[in-house]
Amino acid sequence: MLNNTLLIEISTEELPYKNLKDFAKSFYHQFIKESKRCYIQYKSVEWFATPRRLAIKVNSLNIIRTIPKTQIIGPSLSNAFDINGNITKATQAWLKRLSININQAQHLKNQLGEWLIYIKNEKSEDITHLIPQIISCTIQKISIPKSMKWDENNIKFSRPIRNIFILLNDKIILENILNLPISSTIQGHFFMKNDRININHAKEYPLILLKEGNVICDYSYRKKQIKEKIHQAAIKIKGMLIPNKKLLHEITALVEWPTILIGRFKKDFLSLPQSSIIYILENIQKCFPVYTSSEKLMPYFIFVSNIKPKNLSNIIQGNEQVINSRLSDAQFFYTIDRKQPLENYHIQLKKIIFYNQLGSMYEKTLRLKSLMIWFANKINLNLKKSIRAALLCKCDLITYMVSEFPDIQGYIGMEYALSDGEDPEIANAIREHYYPAFSKDRLPNNPIACALSIADKIDTIIGMLLSDNYPKKNKDPFSLRRLSLSILKILIKKRIEIDLLELIQQSIILYKNHKVKNSTINNINNFFINRSIAFYKQQGLDPNIIQSVLALNITRPIDIEHRISVISNLKHSDDLRLLISTNKRIINILEKSKFFKNKAIKKNLMTSDIEQKLYTETNELNLFIQSNVSIKNYQKILHKAIKLCIPINYFFNNIIIKDQNPEIHFNRLSLLQYIKESFFKIADFSYLHSF
Amino acid sequence: MKKSMNHSFYQIIYNLKKYWIKQGCIIIEGIDLPVGAGTFHIQTFFNAIGTHSTAIAFVQTCRRPSDGRFARNPNRLQQYYQFQVIIKPPPKNIQEIYINSLKKLTIDPQKQDIRFIEDNWENPTLGASGVGWEVWINGMEITQFTYFQQIGSLNCNPITIEITYGLERLAMHLQNTDNLFNLVWMQNKQKTITYGDLFFQNEKEQSSYNFVHSSTKLLLKLFNQHINETNRLLDLKKPLLLPAYEHILQASHYFNLLDAKKSLSVVERQNYILIIRSLTKSIAIYYCQHQKE
């Protein structure tokens, strides 16, 4: 009863290669969920995926399921029946919900009273009859981002489902699954061996397709095969590959029977910008570029065919022809582009609109220029280079090459700049100012690129916010959230000493034609505060600690980050708890004192050494903070503050604050107020009271 | 030469027509207005809306002004031909039927690497979207294979399958040439006519017109006139849908010419697309309602 194998194969028309693995995993996970829900047991489940099929194989399936005993308590006996002994509405509803009648219910007596109860005893049954509905539920729950209809059947899927095949051991199941076509055979490779294959036992899958059908169903194995063979091919032509996981996945998802082939393109095309050749090969033609050991492109490409005929020359020749055509297209654009140096395109940026009322790209670059001048002054960048980078960074948007291949903007600008003889730092900044472009993307390397990246992003954010384009819950078409997180990432990880508020203000000033109300500035501020919170949360930091530091309204991200991380390091320590509890005690006392007005502390009102010593040490703490904040020595500052807790608590334990003399009383409160303010220079520890 | 005779442009069209007739399609002529694709044909657009079944095939001359290359590029043209097949509802084995059409053209899927590469297609001006593939042969796209999901922004029911063969690409593969202008259009005992013989001069002059010498003033005027006429025809007591649709097509073509010359700003361009799209949608909705009556 335990050694059963269940095979489910869904045959489709070619599934989108970008989603194939996700679909397969979703199918797998949903099946496991459904099985669990139905108390089905098995040893393991395997999934398989090719462009034309998704399959699941369940090993050592237990054909008997055991549903555990369940008890469902209903209305109390007093509420269950009316005066005449008939069932009440409450009881009716309960019975209906469980699909039982009153005779199936029993009575239960416990400490809380007497109740109606429905007891379902443990039940063991053969699950064979359940298999079709489990499969139907699973298929309907597979996550498909963009689904389609293909016939009068209401079902929607990623691509038309042309067949379902279900085999339990050696028995084919031909029940109705969502009105989809169901058959008793499976199909081999659509082009190489388009035969129906008889499979006798579920255990034979997927080996039978490997042997008789020219199909490698195992996704990981297929990927591994491709990976090994493309590297072998590269070695054969004395070249190397640069790993591209995404492309490897896509190619794995595009074939059932991979054959690796080598093609060449015309050597002359190597004079084209490297990024355009790579883009055409990888993104458009789905091939692997080949490099020399010094990472220069070779006039070869490695690609995968889905068939393996005796004569491979047709396939190779065909692919070579297409690639040469595409490169020749690119050559056409490159030739037109290179009739002028990159800087000539700057004035033409007037033709490209940045956004509705915000002017052209030309005007954007002028704002970037102003921002870069500001940056250059603040963080000591080469002024001339900074300005030039700002003016050149968008020039490639006007070129034919970027109009044709928008994804390589920045790369083209960099390559054109280098060939014009521009400074390499400037050229790099043209490419790098787009980083980070997505959440795990790298950061820009050189300082000018970092500044330009921030300037470009802040300019876009402020422009959009001034036009009232705040991101909504699910809609952020201009990626303002991502842009602001990128700014914070760069400022913090690259240790850039910029005040965010100043940066925002600089950017707002540059949008001269916009009316800026106070509420706008508030909204923009709040936007950035929320982004900061999101940023630190993303790093896994405690929200309470984040709030405790943000409460100080500090506007230098790098400063905020230091404080948060120093406090986080002490998160579960007794030291920090001491500081928090001391702070709490001080606050409580101050809150209770209703008529207290803070005045200057007077030494002559101090009656004991303890008070005087506390006062002196608090002064020392403040001096220490003052001299160490600029170098962000928060670790030492925090420790000094923690140390102060000892004399504070000694003070609490030995001095009665509420002295009979009101002047002395209030003087002591003023001292406490002074201490509270000192702590507040580090963080608002009241947010950490739960620690 | 013998190979070219079997695979001349003319012969390819002839073979495709023969094949699809056998599959139950009727052959019609292409629409007599400049359009960017066979999808714009009245028979495609209107047949895709509504519930009745259809099976048609035709050759369509296509004009895409921005794709002109002054006849200097051996792979790109601003005027080319598509072979369009529209079937509603699609047969269950439509993929196989398509592959067999390639076999009939002597393309052997066991020798040539044929692939279906995901390509979801959208035409904002028609409010049309579909799900499907580019069909590649040894890396070159030769067909667009699409299950329409929406036309005129309305959900299709039943679904229509559209198979669009790029005839020049197909011919280049079959004739084994990498230069469009060398394609043999037709051959008989007297002479051989190439694609270049017929269209080289046209490509040169049209490209010059599209990119340099067209009159922006005139194009804008014509665009607006056709839009106005569309509106007028739709505002009639009994709207005239087919003539209105034809005026939209003409407006679209003038839009494409303006676009080729890059005379529109991003904002204007967006606006014009929206105008065309909303009028097309109105036509589709009217048609749908009228069908029910």
Side-chain angles (χ1 to χ4, degrees), chain B residues 51-276:
Chain B
T51 53
H52 55 277
S53 56
T54 309
I56 55 175
F58 56 96
V59 175
Q60 181 63 53
T61 314
C62 298
R63 295 250 219 142
R64 295 194 184 172
S66 302
D67 284 352
R69 295 284 183 270
F70 299 89
R72 282 188 229 140
N73 184 313
N75 295 294
R76 287 262 203 144
L77 300 163
Q78 53 91 52
Q79 179 189 293
Y80 64 98
Y81 294 94
Q82 289 179 345
F83 188 87
Q84 176 92 326
V85 178
I86 297 283
I87 303 181
K88 180 173 86 165
K92 292 200 188 300
N93 58 341
I94 186 63
Q95 252 193 335
E96 259 185 78
I97 295 176
Y98 167 75
I99 298 292
N100 286 336
S101 77
L102 296 181
K103 286 183 185 169
K104 270 283 184 276
L105 294 171
T106 75
I107 294 173
D108 184 353
Q110 295 199 333
K111 296 198 179 134
Q112 316 292 339
D113 186 20
I114 297 177
R115 309 282 202 89
F116 285 74
I117 310 282
E118 177 199 11
D119 188 31
N120 298 325
W121 162 91
E122 229 185 88
N123 188 317
T125 50
L126 289 181
S129 70
V131 172
W133 308 266
E134 288 179 359
V135 184
W136 285 14
I137 191 173
N138 301 331
M140 174 169 72
E141 181 194 349
I142 51 158
T143 303
Q144 182 80 34
F145 201 102
T146 312
Y147 289 92
F148 287 163
Q149 300 293 297
Q150 280 206 342
I151 281 236
S153 307
L154 301 171
N155 284 331
C156 296
N157 191 12
I159 299 295
T160 302
I161 185 86
E162 179 197 63
I163 300 176
T164 306
Y165 298 79
L167 286 169
E168 284 79 5
R169 297 274 180 89
L170 204 47
M172 281 169 79
H173 170 82
L174 289 166
Q175 295 185 23
N176 200 12
T177 174
D178 57 0
N179 188 327
L180 279 168
F181 296 103
N182 292 341
L183 284 172
V184 172
W185 180 273
M186 193 165 175
Q187 202 169 34
N188 57 28
K189 283 183 193 156
Q190 281 82 39
K191 51 161 121 193
T192 303
I193 299 289
T194 67
Y195 202 93
D197 290 334
L198 292 172
F199 298 113
F200 186 85
Q201 188 63 21
N202 191 52
E203 279 301 306
K204 259 180 89 175
E205 289 191 23
Q206 298 286 7
S207 299
S208 193
Y209 178 77
N210 297 343
F211 293 123
V212 186
H213 294 290
S214 62
S215 155
T216 305
K217 203 172 160 190
L218 175 67
L219 294 175
L220 279 170
K221 193 172 170 190
L222 290 166
F223 175 82
N224 283 310
Q225 281 183 344
H226 284 289
I227 293 291
N228 290 337
E229 186 66 350
T230 307
N231 275 312
R232 188 182 73 81
L233 293 170
L234 290 178
D235 284 339
L236 294 174
K237 224 171 158 183
K238 265 196 162 178
L240 284 171
L241 297 182
L242 298 178
Y245 180 71
E246 287 197 348
H247 280 279
I248 280 284
L249 290 181
Q250 291 172 84
S252 289
H253 179 61
Y254 290 119
F255 168 78
N256 289 334
L257 283 168
L258 286 163
D259 208 21
K261 218 175 167 204
K262 298 206 198 272
S263 7
L264 299 171
S265 74
V266 173
V267 181
E268 283 173 303
R269 193 176 179 278
Q270 271 295 86
N271 277 339
Y272 288 6
I273 291 178
L274 285 173
I275 291 172
I276 297 172

Side-chain angles (χ1 to χ4, degrees), chain A residues 300-430:
Chain A
Y300 289 94
F301 57 95
I302 293 174
F303 66 104
V304 183
S305 161
N306 193 29
I307 57 170
K308 194 174 186 177
K310 283 187 192 150
N311 187 353
L312 296 163
S313 58
N314 280 328
I315 300 178
I316 297 175
Q317 208 186 355
N319 275 280
E320 287 180 343
Q321 202 158 304
V322 183
I323 285 177
N324 278 322
S325 297
R326 290 220 181 258
L327 290 173
S328 144
D329 255 358
Q331 180 82 59
F332 176 77
F333 296 128
Y334 182 63
T335 311
I336 301 179
D337 281 347
R338 295 278 70 202
K339 288 196 172 142
Q340 15 181 359
L342 189 64
E343 63 181 354
N344 282 19
Y345 288 103
H346 184 231
I347 196 91
Q348 297 180 49
L349 286 173
K350 288 184 181 177
K351 286 192 219 164
I352 302 186
I353 294 237
F354 166 45
Y355 179 74
N356 284 344
Q357 313 299 331
L358 299 178
S360 65
M361 274 301 189
Y362 178 79
E363 284 155 24
K364 187 186 224 285
T365 60
L366 296 182
R367 291 194 298 272
L368 292 182
K369 176 183 166 186
S370 300
L371 282 170
M372 286 306 277
I373 294 173
W374 181 80
F375 262 109
N377 280 326
K378 285 273 170 186
I379 55 174
N380 221 359
L381 302 170
N382 180 311
L383 184 63
K384 223 175 162 188
K385 287 188 193 179
S386 303
I387 293 173
R388 192 141 181 89
L391 295 177
L392 290 180
C393 68
K394 300 294 181 193
C395 287
D396 66 352
L397 297 177
I398 277 271
T399 62
Y400 273 92
M401 199 62 113
V402 172
S403 297
E404 183 72 6
F405 307 117
D407 288 347
I408 51 175
Q409 64 187 270
Y411 290 91
I412 291 294
M414 176 186 81
E415 298 198 50
Y416 285 4
L418 284 172
S419 89
D420 284 345
E422 299 282 348
D423 186 286
E425 227 185 313
I426 295 174
N428 273 324
I430 296 175

Side-chain angles (χ1 to χ4, degrees), chain A residues 5 8 21 55 115 151 197 222 248 252 286 336 478 499 502 537 628 636 663 673:
Chain A
T5 312
I8 308 157
K21 191 174 180 189
W115 314 84
D151 63 16
I197 296 174
R222 200 166 69 242
L248 183 60
T252 306
K286 306 291 170 205
I336 301 179
F478 303 104
D499 186 309
E502 273 183 53
K537 271 195 188 160
N628 279 283
K636 286 201 173 155
E663 285 198 332
Q673 176 74 13

